[in-house]
Amino acid sequence: MNNSSLHSTADISRTDDALTEIVALIPAAGIGSRMKSDCPKQYLDVAGKTIIEHTLAALLEHPRIQRIIVALNPADTQFEQLAIASESRITTVIGGEERADSVLAGLDYLAGLQTDKSIWVLVHDAARPCLHQNDLDNLLQLIEQHTESGNVCGGLLASPVRDTMKRMQPQPMTGTSTINHTVIAHTVDRNGLWHALTPQLFPLQLLRDCLIKSLAEQACITDESSALEYCGYCPVLVNGRADNIKVTQPEDLALAEFYLSRKSKESIV
């Protein structure tokens, strides 16, 4: 698809680091139904804090992140009760029904700010509490690469697929069985396949324009990169740690606690 109606990569403003602001954006308006919990998954306790507190702490720790926007559900009453909510670098906005709606709400807020700086946005899942600083460092290098060449539109943390991948072929239920059996259609070649992680990093205006266009045309948008891809851009895959897990299922809590405990010991050393 031709992206000329939005921006060419050469048109995205090229600035040095002193004129660049890096903002983290956390879509946190979901209810986390797959966790089978009484509260949204980002407020579940793991390793002594809520998941979202771990997530925000990892972002606040990085010296280049100047502010964080958290998009909340309109009915959310829990975030304001967290001690971290009073951090001066954190601002909240009202999110939407879908992830893309919450991200766009945050982008709209940022677009309305009066600033002479070029803003790059790091979109990160609220339920990814195990983010490491070296992964952030590697991802943020894309800003310098963009400034140097103008050919980098942004990118995302990702990890190569290691498991054998199967394409399913659903089978209809037969007889009185209540189980809808799923069988294998074929094995998918995993070469070249990557797991998309977060954060995902893009210039504010480019991401906002692509997201607006993609939503208006009812494209299938599952993350920020897919909005850029739909509009003809090629985001960069930055190899990230596989322990940057997203807490989605109940069994993920124990794994997140293990990784967070190990991360804490590494930081002490």
Side-chain angles (χ1 to χ4, degrees):
M1 180 178 179
N2 191 327
N3 59 26
S4 59
S5 61
L6 293 174
H7 308 269
S8 70
T9 49
D11 290 334
I12 304 170
S13 59
R14 296 168 60 178
T15 61
D16 59 36
D17 192 54
L19 296 178
T20 300
E21 181 174 3
I22 299 171
V23 180
L25 172 54
I26 312 297
I31 59 173
S33 57
R34 284 177 288 181
M35 283 298 298
K36 300 177 182 178
S37 171
D38 293 333
C39 74
K41 60 187 176 184
Q42 60 265 30
Y43 296 119
L44 294 175
D45 287 326
V46 57
K49 297 179 183 178
T50 62
I51 290 172
I52 196 169
E53 286 178 291
H54 286 292
T55 300
L56 291 170
L59 294 166
L60 289 168
E61 184 181 343
H62 200 281
R64 294 187 66 189
I65 297 176
Q66 286 123 316
R67 72 173 87 200
I68 300 175
I69 310 299
V70 183
L72 298 173
N73 190 292
D76 189 303
T77 59
Q78 293 172 273
F79 185 80
E80 63 183 10
Q81 299 176 31
L82 302 177
I84 204 167
S86 62
E87 225 286 346
S88 60
R89 285 176 285 171
I90 295 177
T91 301
T92 60
V93 298
I94 299 301
E97 291 187 10
E98 303 294 336
R99 173 199 172 91
D101 300 320
S102 294
V103 171
L104 187 56
L107 298 176
D108 286 344
Y109 170 82
L110 290 171
L113 297 179
Q114 297 297 317
T115 178
D116 294 330
K117 292 187 175 183
S118 170
I119 298 178
W120 283 69
V121 182
L122 274 167
V123 184
H124 188 50
D125 295 325
R128 285 191 191 271
C130 305
L131 179 64
H132 281 255
Q133 297 299 297
N134 56 351
D135 270 4
L136 268 175
D137 288 338
N138 292 337
L139 183 62
L140 290 174
Q141 287 179 11
L142 294 179
I143 298 176
E144 282 69 44
Q145 293 174 23
H146 162 76
T147 302
E148 292 169 1
S149 69
N151 294 323
V152 175
C153 67
L156 63 152
L157 291 179
S159 63
V161 169
R162 299 169 182 169
D163 301 311
T164 297
M165 305 297 290
K166 304 291 187 182
R167 176 74 64 186
M168 72 175 190
Q169 180 176 299
Q171 298 293 302
M173 289 187 296
T174 58
T176 59
S177 174
T178 59
I179 301 176
N180 187 10
H181 293 286
T182 302
V183 299
I184 297 170
H186 60 270
T187 298
V188 178
D189 184 0
R190 70 184 173 201
N191 289 328
L193 294 180
W194 291 62
H195 293 286
L197 310 174
T198 68
Q200 302 195 3
L201 174 69
F202 300 102
L204 166 61
Q205 198 57 54
L206 177 64
L207 176 56
R208 185 168 178 262
D209 288 349
C210 289
L211 198 53
I212 289 172
K213 178 179 176 62
S214 301
L215 292 174
E217 297 179 5
Q218 299 183 328
C220 179
I221 302 302
T222 55
D223 65 356
E224 292 65 53
S225 177
S226 58
L228 273 286
E229 295 161 37
Y230 177 77
C231 294
Y233 294 92
C234 297
V236 176
L237 292 168
V238 176
N239 203 331
R241 295 175 59 123
D243 59 3
N244 181 13
I245 63 169
K246 184 176 182 179
V247 179
T248 304
Q249 307 287 352
E251 57 267 28
D252 296 332
L253 287 171
L255 189 57
E257 181 150 9
F258 170 75
Y259 285 144
L260 287 167
S261 297
R262 189 177 66 178
K263 180 183 174 186
S264 178
K265 291 177 182 177
E266 289 175 355
S267 65
I268 293 173
V269 174

